[in-house]
Amino acid sequence: MKSTSTIAALIVASTAVLSGCATTTSTPYNNGYSQPGYNTNVSSGYGTIDSIQVVRGSGGTSGSGAVVGGLVGALVGNQVGSGSGRTAATVAGAVGGAAIGNSVEANRNNNGQDMYQLNIRMDNGEYRSITQDSVYDLRVGNRVRMVDGRVYRY
């Protein structure tokens, strides 16, 4: 009975720790830079597309792969040994499973995700680089409007 409650407490604690490491914030795609002396308002503006490049998006993780991997690893590790050896195997299985689960999730999220980097010469002389998931009907030389970090044809 003591072993079961120890394992349950270990799984709950590892889940809490691993979910605390997960991030839910997303990095905005506005990677622009500005020159000194110009208006740096990134909420909107007008300009012309200088170039469009296809870039590979980074594979992010939500932490769910680490949690599921940790739980599976803890269950497998619990089947090994007895006494304090079983506890050590359970902890090692949880840590190893979490690392593998997080890696698998990152690899699945990274495959096939192409992003488009649009380099824009703004009307005020400033250059901005915006990365977004699609370009729709945008072409080099188009007049565009930037609204909240996205580029639209104008």
Side-chain angles (χ1 to χ4, degrees), residues 73-99:
L75 290 174
V76 170
N78 189 35
Q79 304 301 316
V80 177
S82 64
S84 61
R86 176 177 280 183
T87 304
T90 302
V91 171
V95 171

Side-chain angles (χ1 to χ4, degrees), residues 10-52:
L10 181 64
I11 290 173
V12 169
S14 64
T15 303
V17 168
L18 292 174
S19 64
C21 294
T23 179
T24 57
T25 60
S26 62
T27 305
Y29 292 125
N30 185 359
N31 297 328
Y33 62 93
S34 61
Q35 298 172 347
Y38 289 105
N39 183 10
T40 59
N41 182 11
V42 294
S43 63
S44 68
Y46 297 92
T48 305
I49 297 177
D50 274 350
S51 66
I52 300 174

